[in-house]
Amino acid sequence: MVAMPHLPTPAKPTATRKDVAQLAGVSTAVVSYVVNGGPKRVSPATEAKVRDAIAALGYRPNAAARALKLGSSEMLGMVVPDITSPFFATLTHAVEEAAVARGYALLMANSGGSLSAERRAVEQLASRRVDGVFLSSVLFEPDLRELEAMEIPAVLLNHSTESPGFDSVGVDFVEAGRAAVEHLVSHGHRNIGLIMGITTGGGLDGREAGWRKGLEDAGLPVGPVMRQPFDRDGGYQAGKWLLNSAERPTAIFASSDLIAVGLLRAFHEGGVRVPDDVAIVSFDGLAESEYCWPPLTTLAQPVEEMAQAAVEALVEGGGHKSNRRFHATLVRRESCGCGAP
């Protein structure tokens, strides 16, 4: 007996919009209104019939065809340097919520702090013809020629300076650094150090510029500067160095909450009391800043407002480009000596 060859099971026909319309007893236009949320309203009873038909048939709208028809992918891209960072995770979530509210999905890419990976991510998003890109770059002035060539709009996020030809959204870093120093000076401190996160691009970070400006305004000398990565271990290593320093400052401005968290651990292990021996003011306003001990006084970034402004600029922006700079809010807690609110 000759064995019959195994024949593949015929593929199940893909349900179409017409199939859904026939099963629900409505027109294909009504199916389109339900799937796309408009432009015409559909009664709840009719919508329920259409959705039941969609579920029964396993219908999936053709996103590529829809994008071709509308001239839009209804997809936005976002590139961040470190998605494991609580700040960038919070920012990405806020941007996604703002985008979804306007009918857009968000495609996220992580550059890992690498310039080459960032450029590759931007190129990949551009090749997918997203309707726009949010970029939190590792550089102060990123190269966006790839997007310009494909006429894909971009918004620079976490970007405090103007970038000709592009919209940008960020916090006034200089003002925040100056405000941190001013607050520590109000507590009587005259020796104020800085733990500055290491950045890939050249140029002076606005937080450091603000710290220097604050000291100059107060007539104080520049305190010690420690440069470490923008993470907990960076703060921890800076704290260990300070424990062995003969000229330890009485107050410190930490350029991120995560750096301050690592600093707190190092000081705790070394028997340095905060704020009695060293006062700390940090930057970002993460939820973590409220739950460490002592809770951190921090310059909080208005993340949700920034996300809304970024999405608005990308979706509704026209020919005029602008830099939206927000003000960080000083949240007073125990680490600076203010005591419980």
Side-chain angles (χ1 to χ4, degrees):
M1 179 182 242
V2 178
M4 294 294 292
H6 176 71
L7 298 177
T9 302
K12 184 179 179 181
T14 302
T16 66
R17 185 169 57 180
K18 184 177 180 181
D19 296 332
V20 174
Q22 288 179 343
L23 183 59
V26 299
S27 68
T28 55
V30 171
V31 175
S32 178
Y33 299 153
V34 172
V35 171
N36 299 320
K40 292 185 178 180
R41 298 188 63 181
V42 177
S43 70
T46 300
E47 181 178 352
K49 287 195 299 181
V50 172
R51 294 203 178 279
D52 286 344
I54 288 173
L57 296 171
Y59 171 68
R60 295 290 181 272
N62 188 328
R66 174 176 166 78
L68 185 62
K69 181 179 179 180
L70 296 177
S72 165
S73 67
E74 296 183 306
M75 178 87 67
L76 302 175
M78 183 167 179
V79 183
V80 297
D82 182 9
I83 194 57
T84 66
S85 160
F87 169 72
F88 285 113
T90 302
L91 180 61
T92 301
H93 177 68
V95 169
E96 181 179 33
E97 287 197 327
V100 168
R102 292 174 178 266
Y104 289 83
L106 185 70
L107 184 62
M108 197 282 299
N110 178 48
S111 72
S114 163
L115 179 57
S116 61
E118 177 183 298
R119 288 173 173 165
R120 187 165 57 250
V122 169
E123 290 170 1
Q124 289 173 344
L125 290 172
S127 70
R128 284 167 171 76
R129 301 300 300 179
V130 295
D131 292 321
V133 172
F134 304 103
L135 174 61
S136 184
S137 180
V138 299
L139 296 177
F140 287 103
E141 293 299 332
D143 183 359
L144 298 175
R145 285 174 293 182
E146 181 78 17
L147 298 177
E148 286 182 303
M150 300 185 72
E151 298 183 339
I152 297 175
V155 171
L156 299 176
L157 262 176
N158 199 39
H159 195 84
S160 64
T161 59
E162 291 187 14
S163 186
F166 292 92
D167 288 299
S168 58
V169 175
V171 162
D172 190 329
F173 287 155
V174 175
E175 180 194 58
R178 185 203 55 77
V181 171
E182 184 179 79
H183 185 67
L184 290 168
V185 169
S186 74
H187 280 284
H189 295 285
R190 297 293 178 268
N191 184 3
I192 303 171
L194 170 70
I195 305 179
M196 187 65 236
I198 296 173
T199 55
T200 303
L204 185 67
D205 188 283
R207 283 159 286 198
E208 181 173 348
W211 169 76
R212 292 179 181 275
K213 182 68 169 60
L215 293 174
E216 180 184 340
D217 291 346
L220 298 177
V222 174
V225 180
M226 294 136 284
R227 304 189 188 279
Q228 291 288 338
F230 273 110
D231 56 28
R232 300 174 187 85
D233 188 61
Y236 182 67
Q237 296 303 325
K240 289 173 67 175
W241 182 86
L242 285 167
L243 289 173
N244 298 315
S245 174
E247 300 180 358
R248 188 168 63 222
T250 65
I252 292 172
F253 173 43
S255 57
S256 78
D257 289 343
L258 291 188
I259 284 177
V261 168
L263 180 63
L264 285 175
R265 177 185 170 183
F267 280 171
H268 176 73
E269 291 176 354
V272 174
R273 299 168 301 165
V274 177
D276 303 75
D277 301 324
V278 180
I280 299 173
V281 172
S282 58
F283 178 84
D284 271 338
L286 302 176
E288 193 166 354
S289 67
E290 186 177 0
Y291 293 96
C292 54
W293 189 257
L296 290 166
T297 292
T298 183
L299 275 300
Q301 300 195 61
V303 173
E304 290 187 2
E305 292 178 47
M306 291 162 57
Q308 290 286 349
V311 172
E312 180 180 318
L314 202 56
V315 173
E316 300 179 5
H320 176 69
K321 304 301 179 182
S322 65
N323 171 240
R324 290 287 307 276
R325 275 190 291 182
F326 290 82
H327 299 289
T329 302
L330 181 66
V331 181
R332 295 173 175 84
R333 299 195 183 104
E334 285 91 326
S335 70
C336 67
C338 279

